[in-house]
Structure formats: C-alpha cells, structure tokens
Amino acid sequence: MGHNITAIILKGGYKTDIAQGYDLIGKDLGFSLSLFHFDHNYSAYWQFKLNCKGYLQIPKTDYMIFPTDMVLSELMKQISDNKDVEFAIISTDYFGGMGKQFSSVFKNQNLVDDSLTTINKALNYFGVVRQGNLDEFDTVGLDKIRSQPDYLEKYYDLAEEHNL
C-alpha cells in the first residue's frame, strides 16, 4: 500500500476561518499539532496570489523535492495563534514499505536545525512522545494518512491558468 503526502505540520493552535480561506483544512494530530495538506501547485498559486517572493532554506537533499515557497511561512503566520510560528514541511513517497521521506522544521521563515530531516525527528522536536512500540510517525497517526485530498486538484488548473 502506498503513502504519498506533502503537508505542513503546525505547532499550536490556529484560526480555522482564516485557514479555510486558504483551503488549509487542519487535521488534529494530538500534541498540539495540526496537519495541512498542500502541493507544488497550491504553493505556486498562493505565492503568486499573495505576491510573496522567495524560498525557505532547507537542508540539501538529493532524494526528495518538495515546495519551499516563502508563502508557506506567510500562510502559517496568518493562521497561527502564536507570535513565533513553528512548523515542519513534510513529504513521503512510499510503496510496499520501500521509499523515502523528508522534513524541514522552521521557526517563522528560519530553518531550525538542518539535522531534522526525517519526520520522526521533526515530530520529536515538537514534543511527540512515542507510544508503546510505535514511532512518532505512527503515534500521531500519519500512517493512516496515505494520500493527498482531492480538493487540491483545483490548484493544478489555477497554476496552469496563471502560467505558474
């Protein structure tokens, strides 16, 4: 069975009404963490729409590419209840137990630590405590979130419409 997601994990509470205005539908992971799905088209569209420039710095990786548009930090700042926003961008690409994952953790727009490149390390940084034989990934239920939601498909057309 496959596992292919790209998402932001936000630490702390958030403003639901503002988040929904950006199609950021939060999923509670416990430990004061919420997950928001997005993809390259989503990120490119909102970068364009909000006239936001630049990219977030991530650790060098040769095995995974995911969106790092600065707008992701801006969106988290707008929806977060916290003055200093902490979030991770995560991505998985697994099938039949084989594959890869990547993560980067940010405080506002700044990379927190370039060694936090796995999802378990990011979750541990956010205070997730493993339960029983589960790792952090399974403890928060990410093993059950296997694919991107259908509502993100509209961003393919929006990105194409604006030549993004």
Side-chain angles (χ1 to χ4, degrees):
M1 185 176 284
H3 196 285
N4 190 317
I5 64 169
T6 303
I8 293 175
I9 296 176
L10 176 66
K11 177 75 174 174
Y14 67 95
K15 300 168 189 80
T16 307
D17 55 336
I18 296 172
Q20 288 176 346
Y22 293 114
D23 279 338
L24 291 168
I25 315 251
K27 166 130 180 73
D28 181 24
L29 301 177
F31 299 91
S32 295
L33 300 174
S34 299
L35 179 130
F36 301 94
H37 290 277
F38 75 100
D39 62 16
H40 285 283
N41 294 315
Y42 175 93
S43 184
Y45 173 76
W46 285 109
Q47 183 105 331
F48 165 77
K49 187 81 170 162
L50 298 176
N51 195 27
C52 188
K53 307 274 189 243
Y55 297 92
L56 297 165
Q57 174 191 350
I58 65 166
K60 183 172 171 61
T61 177
D62 295 329
Y63 59 90
M64 200 129 210
I65 297 173
F66 61 82
T68 60
D69 301 286
M70 188 61 73
V71 75
L72 300 171
S73 174
E74 291 304 315
L75 291 172
M76 292 302 102
K77 287 178 189 175
Q78 288 188 33
I79 71 168
S80 177
D81 288 339
N82 298 327
K83 180 181 175 210
D84 288 320
V85 181
E86 289 187 297
F87 66 97
I89 298 174
I90 66 165
S91 189
T92 66
D93 187 12
Y94 290 100
F95 187 80
M98 300 295 292
K100 49 197 160 190
Q101 64 165 260
F102 192 73
S103 177
S104 286
V105 177
F106 301 91
K107 184 169 188 175
N108 300 316
Q109 71 276 359
N110 301 312
L111 184 67
V112 168
D113 182 338
D114 62 5
S115 71
L116 300 175
T117 58
T118 67
I119 296 170
N120 282 336
K121 286 180 182 178
L123 291 170
N124 184 266
Y125 171 82
F126 287 141
V128 174
V129 178
R130 307 170 107 180
Q131 295 179 351
N133 293 329
L134 302 176
D135 63 6
E136 291 87 350
F137 188 96
D138 293 340
T139 296
V140 299
L142 288 175
D143 58 322
K144 295 169 183 61
I145 304 170
R146 299 197 161 274
S147 61
Q148 297 288 78
D150 292 341
Y151 68 83
L152 288 176
E153 291 176 10
K154 75 180 182 183
Y155 287 97
Y156 175 83
D157 293 332
L158 287 168
E160 191 172 89
E161 178 183 320
H162 295 287
N163 295 318
L164 306 175

